[in-house]
Amino acid sequence: AILLIFVIIAYACIGGPEHWVPDLIYNYAVCVREWTTANSSTLVSSFWFSYTAGRILGVFLISYIPTKIYLAADFTGAIISYIILIFNSSSDSSDIIIWIFTCTLGLSYATMYPTGVSLTGQYFDNTKLYSIIFGFGEFTGQMMVPLGASILLTDTTLFFIAGTIFSGVYVVPAVVLVVLGGYFQRRGR
């Protein structure tokens, strides 16, 4: 039962930032960067393109990269991308950085969810739990966006900081899952 709580927390931390980027980056680009609506829409599409490419690439790479390492690379990529965006969020910073690191966020989040499911499957049968545990965690994280949108939209740097924090917090339940899951496996539970 304790592992399930950490899985819910982990997926809440994925669900929020994974959806904040495409939901809020458009407003950021229009309001702060003063981009045209066409460029802002293209930025959102670029996120989804890199996300889709990351999912397709992940189908092949997961056979060669251990799940724990793949997951660590995913959240490390997300955290680094967010940190770079934090320091380049002002209207006078380079546009290319926004383009590049919005795409790297897409690549990072693309396989975080399925790789986490794969990791969890190493410790317990998640076929019975899938729709309840993973879905509940994911949607809990997504619902934080509407609740905090008024705050996040008034300070776009806060939007990037929140993504960094949530991506970083994801590390804690993931590590607990690995440590406790391995412990319970060794004990035969």
Side-chain angles (χ1 to χ4, degrees):
I2 189 82
L3 290 178
L4 299 180
I5 292 168
F6 282 100
V7 170
I8 291 170
I9 294 168
Y11 276 82
C13 291
I14 291 173
E18 179 181 71
H19 288 79
W20 292 351
V21 177
D23 293 348
L24 300 176
I25 199 82
Y26 176 87
N27 293 341
Y28 163 75
V30 168
C31 297
V32 174
R33 311 288 300 183
E34 298 178 354
W35 289 4
T36 64
T37 55
N39 281 348
S40 301
S41 295
T42 304
L43 181 65
V44 173
S45 296
S46 297
F47 171 86
W48 285 119
F49 178 79
S50 63
Y51 186 90
T52 302
R55 282 274 171 111
I56 292 168
L57 190 60
V59 170
F60 301 103
L61 291 179
I62 196 66
S63 299
Y64 303 103
I65 302 171
T67 306
K68 294 173 192 169
I69 292 173
Y70 206 133
L71 197 55
D74 284 340
F75 66 74
T76 300
I79 290 170
I80 290 170
S81 296
Y82 271 121
I83 289 171
I84 290 170
L85 288 169
I86 287 169
F87 290 107
N88 292 282
S89 63
S90 66
S91 60
D92 61 345
S93 58
S94 173
D95 289 348
I96 192 73
I97 291 174
I98 304 304
W99 286 99
I100 290 170
F101 290 99
T102 297
C103 290
T104 60
L105 279 170
L107 285 171
S108 297
Y109 281 114
T111 52
M112 204 177 284
Y113 188 98
T115 306
V117 172
S118 177
L119 177 67
T120 305
Q122 295 174 14
Y123 302 116
F124 50 81
D125 179 15
N126 55 16
T127 55
K128 298 174 188 171
L129 301 169
Y130 179 77
S131 63
I132 297 168
I133 300 304
F134 300 110
F136 179 72
E138 176 86 8
F139 291 119
T140 300
Q142 288 179 32
M143 290 313 298
M144 291 179 201
V145 173
L147 295 175
S150 61
I151 297 168
L152 292 172
L153 289 176
T154 57
D155 183 350
T156 53
T157 303
L158 184 60
F159 153 56
F160 294 132
I161 292 169
T164 305
I165 292 169
F166 272 78
S167 297
V169 169
Y170 176 78
V171 174
V172 175
V175 168
V176 169
L177 176 65
V178 169
V179 172
L180 285 181
Y183 172 76
F184 290 141
Q185 269 186 333
R186 287 188 299 278
R187 296 205 58 215
R189 293 185 182 186

